[in-house]
Amino acid sequence: MSAGNASPAGHSGPSDLHLHSDHSDGTEPPAEVMAAAHRHGIRTAALTDHDTTAGWAEAADAAVSLGMTFLPGMELSARHEWRSVHVLAYLFDPDDSGLRTLTDRIRDSRLTRARRMADRIGRDYDLDWADIVEQTASGATVGRPHIADALVARGHVRDRGEAFGGILHPSSPYYVDLFAPDPVTAVAAVRAAGGVPIIAHPAGRGGLLPDRLLARLIDAGLAGFELGHRENVEPALGRLRSLVSARDLIATGSSDYHGRGKPNLPGEYTTADEMVDRIIALGQGTAPVTP
């Protein structure tokens, strides 16, 4: 289907379903994120801030004003053993009590963790909590990227990459663990809220999840995988393509745009129209916002 032609579900591509604003670890307000996506040719976009839906209303208004379709979304934090697992969630009910309890706990943990890390870092570097708050938009989910931005502002590192490679690295003495549910719990919570769960960048640097866990995730309601992402690598990506085909799962592609926080640009990967249609058909908790 060519760009500009509406699908049976009412949206038009190209579609980028993984974008972040300053309500989590992006650097731009939701309206500017939608404007950036539009400038790069995107016509259906999802805001997927970490563990929060706070930017939905602003993003939806901006998208519609630009003639775009908006898909409400979120990136839910989970963990399997030592590695982070990010679950992209689309079209869920933001008022579902089970999912809200989970995200509230994650955000509370982020805040406590950030304060503890700031205290540890402050023993060796000129940095305090006020520096981190200054880098965090009002109501945003505080995270390591905001600490990184504070370290950059103080001149301790050149950019986020240097901060994450050193002071904020999990092997650093300043690092503090974050609460996150196991991915099966996260997937089940999204489905219980009427949402569509997709594993983000599943073939990235952390490696592929074990086959037994992948089977459990699919049994719990996992809808698919974000196969188009700059962090995915072979041969893990090829194994996931085979799994998606064998189990008739949804395959998405997205930029993971963070504004100035990452080099990723809107539209560097996109999701096929038929896959967006499947997400819309499966989502029961909320609806896309169309112009």
Side-chain angles (χ1 to χ4, degrees):
M1 184 181 302
S2 62
N5 293 330
S7 78
H11 73 91
S12 297
S15 301
D16 190 337
L17 305 185
H18 190 170
L19 304 161
H20 292 275
S21 79
D22 61 3
H23 282 274
S24 64
D25 56 345
T27 62
E28 301 167 340
E32 292 184 20
V33 173
M34 294 298 110
H38 188 267
R39 286 196 303 273
H40 283 83
I42 298 303
R43 295 299 177 262
T44 294
L47 188 69
T48 54
D49 283 323
H50 292 279
D51 310 306
T52 183
T53 63
W56 280 10
E58 180 184 338
D61 288 345
V64 169
S65 73
L66 292 166
M68 300 167 62
T69 294
F70 175 71
L71 259 64
M74 178 174 69
E75 189 168 8
L76 182 61
S77 302
R79 176 176 295 163
H80 173 66
E81 297 177 347
W82 55 269
R83 65 172 285 181
S84 294
V85 180
H86 291 174
V87 180
L88 292 163
Y90 302 106
L91 301 175
F92 58 90
D93 177 3
D95 295 320
D96 178 81
S97 60
L99 188 56
R100 289 195 67 172
T101 297
L102 200 58
T103 55
D104 285 349
R105 184 177 177 189
I106 295 169
R107 288 198 303 273
D108 287 346
S109 177
R110 283 188 186 278
L111 181 60
T112 302
R113 172 213 211 184
R115 285 186 175 275
R116 290 178 62 193
M117 290 185 70
D119 288 343
R120 293 183 181 186
I121 295 168
R123 297 169 191 161
D124 297 324
Y125 294 88
D126 181 16
L127 185 84
D128 58 30
W129 183 245
D131 295 317
I132 297 167
V133 171
E134 188 176 342
Q135 300 297 324
T136 308
S138 177
T141 303
V142 182
R144 282 189 299 160
H146 304 107
I147 303 176
D149 292 342
L151 289 166
V152 172
R154 281 289 190 178
H156 300 310
V157 296
R158 289 168 298 181
D159 53 31
R160 282 186 177 183
E162 184 178 344
F164 275 90
I167 295 172
L168 302 180
H169 192 273
S171 64
S172 165
Y174 309 113
Y175 185 82
V176 175
D177 277 336
L178 170 72
F179 163 76
D182 70 87
V184 174
T185 297
V187 164
V190 172
R191 287 305 296 263
V196 184
I198 304 285
I199 298 295
H201 35 76
R205 294 182 297 270
L208 193 62
L209 291 172
D211 289 344
R212 182 175 297 180
L213 177 58
L214 291 175
R216 289 180 60 210
L217 289 169
I218 294 169
D219 289 343
L222 182 68
F225 297 92
E226 184 185 53
L227 298 186
H229 189 287
R230 64 162 60 199
E231 292 182 11
N232 288 333
V233 295
E234 300 288 358
L237 185 56
R239 291 178 60 193
L240 282 177
R241 290 193 194 99
S242 297
L243 178 62
V244 165
S245 177
R247 298 295 297 267
D248 191 27
L249 301 175
I250 295 171
T252 67
S254 304
S255 66
D256 200 0
Y257 177 68
H258 281 70
R260 298 183 305 278
K262 287 185 177 182
N264 311 37
L265 294 175
E268 64 182 38
Y269 290 93
T270 58
T271 299
D273 290 347
E274 58 268 28
M275 294 297 175
V276 179
D277 288 342
R278 288 180 63 179
I279 290 172
I280 293 172
L282 189 58
Q284 301 295 318
T286 191
V289 183
T290 57

